Amino acid sequence: MSSPGRGYDGRIVPDINGSRVAEILQQLVRIPSVNPAFPGGTGEAELGRYVEEFLYRLNLPAERQVVAGGRFNVLGTLPGRSQRKLLLEAHMDTVQTIGMTVPPFDGRIEGGRLYGRGACDTKASLAAMLAAIEALALAGIRPEVTAELAAVVDEETTYIGVSALAERIKPNAADYMGAVVGEPTGLAVISAHKGCCRFYVDVYGVACHSSNPAQGVNAINQMNKVLTFLSELHESRYPQRAHPLTGPPTVCVTGIQGGIAPNTVPADCRITVDRRTVPGEEPLVVYEEMKHQLEELASAEGLELTVSEPFVIDYAMETDRNEPIVRYLLAATQTYEPQASVQGAAYCSDASKLVRVAVPSVVFGPGHISEAHTQDEWIELSQVEQAACALRDLILSVKAI
Ligand SMILES: [Zn+2]
């Protein structure tokens, strides 16, 4: 998809060839990079070496940032005319391939779609970034801002890749005018998304023979009061805290365990709570609030209950829609997808870790989140090409402000 006649600083915009974009994506999908935390996890090292080679071949500097044993981010640079920086970030890891109904690593192309694990989440975004950088590097273009590429490990579990990247950026965060974090957004510019806080609640009862349950205290029945209370929070109280882009906070019970035998009144019951936060809510503050509410419920209802420390927290994020990264990316995308708009999302991403170190960030990429992690994961190739063109235009249009 070329942009004939459009130019920046009097230059002709280098063409981006759709079949080249497809070829890059196919190569990425053919390199397994299942997160090692998942069954069949290969890690991201081979894909990292591919990205490194890709940059070297364009005579661009590339560097490894070692994050853990055998796991490294790859950081590349397309030098600009100023020290102002634009970061393009995408994760290299994917989820497992168990149960897939298409070959996960063939990169089969059919009917304008490319199939395989990671095709949508988020190798398509990485391919679009690589294609944009390649087009500009081969044309010998030096944009006003320096574009940095970061292909990182471990987005699908504990975010160690982007966390290490954010630590590295932190001392010079003011140099960054913004970051684009690749995820399947359907070419929407996501300027706000939710965070989360996950913890366990245990309720204790007294075991006895279930032929005479009145002699004991049934922990599962007791837990029912907690479940009712959490539903009430979700349905009645959280809607008042809705954020205009992400919607309201949510609470979802995602697991339950209790009982040891069919003929014993259960003495223990545990639930897993997944509380999603909205911009403006701090996960640890939210956790303390819920802990307090549950302890109040316990004393009102005579429950014996404990609330564990959170085992996962992640941050919500929001970038002002007047930030240049939001405005320039939206304008660049609307050239190819006039319906593109600024939106919010319910999921978490690497972007919140960059926002925490004061880099204005947005989430953007081809494909739809509903196709991520699926049995027949696929991506519409025309959208990958549109994303590549939009990123190329972003790099060319953004000012060193
Ligand atoms: Zn992803």
Side-chain angles (χ1 to χ4, degrees):
M1 189 172 297
S2 60
S3 315
R6 296 178 73 234
Y8 294 94
D9 302 334
R11 292 171 186 272
I12 297 299
V13 175
D15 195 15
I16 285 181
N17 181 304
S19 57
R20 174 61 183 150
V21 179
E23 182 182 40
I24 295 170
L25 177 56
Q26 196 168 49
Q27 288 167 354
L28 297 179
V29 170
R30 285 178 175 169
I31 301 171
S33 59
V34 176
N35 190 300
F38 297 127
T42 53
E44 307 90 343
E46 196 186 339
L47 188 59
R49 283 190 284 275
Y50 172 91
V51 175
E52 204 173 44
E53 283 298 317
F54 190 101
L55 295 163
Y56 285 150
R57 194 177 41 76
L58 296 170
N59 286 321
L60 298 178
E63 197 184 326
R64 289 184 186 187
Q65 182 188 20
V66 176
V67 174
R71 303 181 77 186
F72 53 88
N73 298 336
V74 177
L75 314 174
T77 305
L78 177 74
R81 302 196 301 276
S82 77
Q83 284 307 302
R84 291 293 279 163
K85 289 175 181 166
L86 167 67
L87 177 67
L88 305 179
E89 192 257 26
H91 65 88
M92 296 188 285
D93 59 320
T94 72
V95 295
Q96 69 287 337
T97 60
I98 293 167
M100 286 192 76
T101 54
V102 295
F105 306 123
D106 280 7
R108 180 161 60 87
I109 295 175
E110 201 175 297
R113 294 175 171 182
L114 188 146
Y115 290 83
R117 179 54 83 224
C120 173
D121 184 8
T122 211
K123 291 183 176 180
S125 294
L126 181 56
M129 290 171 181
L130 290 170
I133 287 172
E134 181 180 73
L136 296 169
L138 290 177
I141 288 177
R142 232 178 144 83
E144 193 169 324
V145 296
T146 292
E148 286 190 349
L149 174 80
V152 309
V153 298
D154 197 48
E155 189 273 344
E156 298 289 0
T157 55
T158 55
Y159 297 114
I160 57 173
V162 72
S163 300
L165 176 68
E167 276 307 304
R168 180 191 169 105
I169 284 175
K170 199 172 174 180
N172 305 309
D175 291 345
Y176 290 80
M177 55 76 55
V180 178
V181 170
E183 290 290 355
T185 70
L187 302 183
V189 177
I190 302 294
S191 68
H193 70 60
K194 291 186 180 180
C196 74
C197 174
R198 297 186 188 130
F199 55 90
Y200 301 113
V201 179
D202 290 280
V203 166
Y204 306 98
V206 177
C208 70
H209 198 287
S210 58
S211 61
N212 196 353
Q215 286 186 338
V217 177
N218 188 322
I220 292 177
N221 288 354
Q222 297 291 80
M223 183 61 90
N224 203 23
K225 293 170 183 160
V226 176
L227 298 176
T228 304
F229 173 75
L230 293 176
S231 294
E232 207 271 328
L233 278 183
H234 178 80
E235 285 163 23
S236 306
R237 297 204 227 164
Y238 289 162
Q240 297 152 24
R241 298 193 193 177
H243 178 277
L245 287 177
T246 67
T250 56
V251 60
C252 182
V253 175
T254 53
I256 187 160
Q257 291 168 293
I260 52 166
N263 57 352
T264 301
V265 168
D268 306 280
C269 185
R270 162 173 280 199
I271 56 169
T272 311
V273 178
D274 181 10
R275 168 67 157 81
R276 298 293 169 128
T277 58
V278 297
E281 286 187 325
E282 279 294 315
L284 288 175
V285 173
V286 162
Y287 163 75
E288 288 298 338
E289 178 195 51
M290 291 190 78
K291 183 168 190 257
H292 180 69
Q293 289 168 328
L294 288 165
E295 285 167 353
E296 280 193 329
L297 175 77
S299 64
E301 297 284 345
L303 305 177
E304 203 181 320
L305 164 155
T306 58
V307 180
S308 71
E309 292 292 310
F311 61 89
V312 170
I313 61 160
D314 196 7
Y315 304 104
M317 77 94 184
E318 181 168 28
T319 295
D320 191 299
R321 66 185 301 151
N322 292 315
E323 279 290 336
I325 188 66
V326 181
R327 291 188 288 110
Y328 279 101
L329 180 58
L330 182 64
T333 306
Q334 282 176 336
T335 306
Y336 308 99
E337 175 46 87
Q339 304 299 317
S341 60
V342 176
Q343 294 178 17
Y347 50 75
C348 303
S349 84
D350 279 353
S352 58
K353 274 59 76 183
L354 297 170
V355 169
R356 295 293 280 194
V357 296
V359 176
S361 305
V362 292
V363 187
F364 169 83
H368 290 276
I369 195 75
S370 58
E371 266 309 312
H373 305 190
T374 53
Q375 294 179 333
D376 66 339
E377 184 169 350
W378 54 267
I379 184 81
E380 202 77 51
L381 284 168
S382 60
Q383 212 173 74
V384 191
E385 190 185 345
Q386 288 177 314
C389 291
L391 291 170
R392 170 201 60 194
D393 294 359
L394 171 73
I395 295 168
L396 284 170
S397 63
V398 101
K399 299 288 174 231
I401 42 178

